[in-house]
Amino acid sequence: MLTALVSLILGLATAVAGEQPAATQAPITVTDVAGRQVTVNAPVERILLGEGRQLYLIASLEPKNPLARIVAWRNDLIEADPATYQQYLEAYPELAELPAFAGKENGLIDIESTIVQKPDVVLLNLEAMRANEDAKYIEKLAELNIPVLYIDFRHYPLKNTEPTIRLLGKIMGHEARAEEIIEFRHQAMARVTDVIARAKPDRPSVFIERIGGYTDDCCLSFGAENFGKYVELAGGHNIGSDILPSTFGQLNPEQVIAANPAHVVVTSADWEAYVPGGQWIPLGPGADPKVIRQKLEWFTSRSAYTDIAAQRTDNFHGIWHQFYNSPYEFFAVQQLAKWFHPELFADLEPDETFAEYHRRFLPIPYRPGYAVSLSASAD
């Protein structure tokens, strides 16, 4: 039954692929972030995005027409980051016609959609590796000469983001541009880490409330990776690193109160598609400053923050959740540093850094709205 289905879909795929102009390609062998050696025909012409938010990097590498090589994507960017989706839709109305499929970050790829589109490569996030390999999808696609590459912005972003940029630069034929992006990131990060290394300031304790407003649960947070690592680079101490054994986890309210954090950072975004009317903070491009500040104020009343140091000093901050899953974490590190050490970083402007990235690497204009704070020192 499956063989017949694959044959039928493959026939359709061949017809679809036949409509595309031929390009000069040659097989190259690359190593993905999972350490797998994979042969692809490069430069790739047809890319299937196992996660829609992979567009952040695709667009950085190919800003003139970021959709030129994308044949299908998962619908998460449409739902999880609607403001960015609208920006790209305004610039590229054909985005509305791009085939989209549902799924989860760590779930199975839509194999039927994949076969129909006959991509040159499928990009999957690292956390989807086990599910897809257990289902033998990788082998099934290999039989049809559809290679899969694993990339990662989420679990070990400081380790895997730059290899991911280089990997995509290589298969897309944009290696020089990939190095330009990496150098920009290095310089943006160094504007924080060099200062912290020289000044060696006291590190304030920080609690990160992960996906604030997405659920009523308390208190979802980060361990020593992802935003936990960003906090450390920015000159803070992430209390979740002392308790959580992995990148993601949960503390109970008593643990947060006992840790008495000097700062609370809420990662959030516009999640109307998931939690209509929820307590989430609609951070992202073009967010209304008054609205996001009002939404942040609600978090100060959570029982986990009763009489902690951050509550007494108004050191509550909100930041765009998608920095946990994009090549843009340099903004998060700069913004956190400015909140934790306002005197050291009085001249640092994270919005200007991100605006420069947009001017140099992205096809959409910069619109502020990625961060908000209740602290007087942040004004």
Side-chain angles (χ1 to χ4, degrees), residues 68-131:
R69 309 187 200 209
I70 302 173
V71 295
W73 67 344
R74 189 159 65 82
N75 64 358
D76 56 281
L77 184 123
I78 300 170
E79 298 177 344
D81 186 9
T84 299
Y85 174 69
Q86 285 301 318
Q87 280 193 283
Y88 279 97
L89 190 62
E90 290 168 11
Y92 305 96
E94 64 271 26
L95 183 58
E97 306 303 320
L98 186 67
F101 52 89
K104 296 181 179 180
E105 292 170 350
N106 61 349
L108 296 171
I109 192 172
D110 185 327
I111 194 166
E112 285 80 13
S113 296
T114 304
I115 296 171
V116 165
Q117 297 300 333
K118 196 61 168 64
D120 294 327
V121 69
V122 175
L123 302 180
L124 292 183
N125 287 335
L126 191 61
E127 61 267 34
M129 182 174 176
R130 180 168 182 175

Side-chain angles (χ1 to χ4, degrees), residues 119-176:
D120 294 327
V121 69
V122 175
L123 302 180
L124 292 183
N125 287 335
L126 191 61
E127 61 267 34
M129 182 174 176
R130 180 168 182 175
N132 283 279
E133 292 193 345
D134 285 351
K136 304 296 183 183
Y137 279 9
I138 307 304
E139 289 85 350
K140 292 171 185 175
L141 293 175
E143 291 176 3
L144 301 173
N145 295 317
I146 301 176
V148 171
L149 293 174
Y150 288 104
I151 64 176
D152 179 41
F153 301 115
R154 184 182 287 113
H155 279 274
Y156 303 102
L158 274 300
K159 172 186 174 183
N160 288 336
T161 294
E162 290 184 3
T164 293
I165 294 170
R166 286 195 170 99
L167 176 63
L168 267 61
K170 188 173 183 65
I171 67 171
M172 293 173 67
H174 292 321
E175 292 174 90

Side-chain angles (χ1 to χ4, degrees), residues 266-319:
V266 181
T267 75
S268 197
D270 182 344
W271 288 316
E272 182 68 21
Y274 302 128
V275 191
Q279 296 292 349
W280 39 265
I281 307 168
L283 292 153
D288 185 321
K290 292 182 179 178
V291 171
I292 58 179
R293 183 182 174 88
Q294 289 171 353
K295 295 281 284 193
L296 174 61
E297 287 174 350
W298 176 85
F299 286 86
T300 66
S301 66
R302 300 205 77 173
S303 59
Y305 307 137
T306 302
D307 202 34
I308 62 171
Q311 191 181 62
R312 296 193 296 271
T313 58
D314 284 334
N315 273 321
F316 273 72
H317 321 285
I319 195 163

Side-chain angles (χ1 to χ4, degrees), residues 5 35 37 43 92 128 138 166-167 201 217-218 223 239 324 357 365:
L5 176 63
Q37 288 197 319
Y92 305 96
I138 307 304
R166 286 195 170 99
L167 176 63
D217 290 346
C218 190
I239 66 175
Y324 95 120
Y357 184 91

